[in-house]
Amino acid sequence: SNLNQTKTIILVGPVGVKLIQISELKGIFQAQDASLEELDDRSKKFKPVNPDPVVQCLESAGMLQYFLESKGLSEIKVEPVLIFIDPGAHVSTAHSALKIVLSDAIDRFAASLKPISIVLQADAVEFIVDAVCQNLSPNSSTGQMQTLAAQEKKDVFSLVDETGARPKQYPQLKRISIQ
């Protein structure tokens, strides 16, 4: 089994709220409901991945959903997304409980973020981003997170670290339009 390093991104914008976890795992996997199994080379059988990035992503999305509900935003649904960035990852996703994106489909996933219909207005986006940034801490149960906010009125992605401050090591962020 591979060492599983994940990064978590919260994307808030006109298309809604997405909790995205990025995995560096590689191998042959199958996503079964709320779990991930890896093909064992010796036994040729699928065995559970530990820690399981599908479980981690679903739990993190559930915590974010609970947080939004506690702020009176129960009508907003958090979509969990697991992205495998290593081209050596092959995942059967026929019965997955979340959206799984492989490295060769990241560009299609990014294109899907272009708002066809507006789910969140600019004031809702700003409220959610502010609430998450004010309440996110390095000791949170979802681990260290970076928050990406696609703010409709600015129409750019803004990188914010877990303390809510802009990182000093990124003096000039690249603007990405989502219109």
Side-chain angles (χ1 to χ4, degrees):
S1 188
N2 297 302
L3 177 64
N4 186 14
Q5 299 289 327
T6 59
K7 299 264 186 211
T8 301
I9 299 169
I10 300 170
L11 182 67
V12 182
V15 295
V17 179
K18 299 188 185 313
L19 184 125
I20 303 169
Q21 288 200 331
I22 300 169
S23 175
E24 297 176 355
L25 286 176
K26 67 179 176 179
I28 300 173
F29 304 94
Q30 67 180 8
Q32 291 289 329
D33 299 318
S35 67
L36 187 70
E37 298 175 331
E38 182 178 14
L39 183 65
D40 183 90
D41 289 334
R42 284 180 269 160
S43 69
K44 301 296 180 200
K45 293 182 182 179
F46 283 96
K47 296 186 176 179
V49 174
N50 192 12
D52 188 328
V54 170
V55 170
Q56 290 174 331
C57 189
L58 289 170
E59 286 178 352
S60 296
M63 286 186 277
L64 181 57
Q65 184 71 53
Y66 179 79
F67 172 77
L68 293 176
E69 289 171 4
S70 75
K71 298 292 182 187
L73 301 169
S74 58
E75 70 283 354
I76 297 171
K77 300 301 174 209
V78 175
E79 180 185 358
V81 180
L82 179 59
I83 298 178
F84 287 85
I85 60 170
D86 194 304
H90 303 280
V91 185
S92 169
T93 61
H95 299 89
S96 178
L98 53 70
K99 181 181 202 95
I100 292 180
V101 179
L102 300 180
S103 64
D104 62 350
I106 292 172
D107 57 344
R108 288 187 298 277
F109 173 70
S112 76
L113 298 175
K114 182 177 181 178
I116 295 169
S117 64
I118 304 296
V119 175
L120 293 176
Q121 297 299 323
D123 57 342
V125 170
E126 189 172 348
F127 179 82
I128 293 167
V129 170
D130 289 344
V132 170
C133 289
Q134 289 171 5
N135 290 281
L136 199 59
S137 72
N139 300 324
S140 70
S141 54
T142 57
Q144 290 190 345
M145 291 188 190
Q146 291 179 331
T147 302
L148 273 179
Q151 297 179 358
E152 183 182 58
K153 67 182 180 184
K154 289 185 181 177
D155 196 31
V156 296
F157 287 99
S158 301
L159 184 64
V160 179
D161 73 7
E162 65 273 358
T163 64
R166 292 189 182 275
K168 290 186 173 40
Q169 67 266 31
Y170 300 111
Q172 187 67 337
L173 295 177
K174 188 179 209 179
R175 291 178 167 249
I176 303 171
S177 174
I178 58 168
Q179 282 191 353

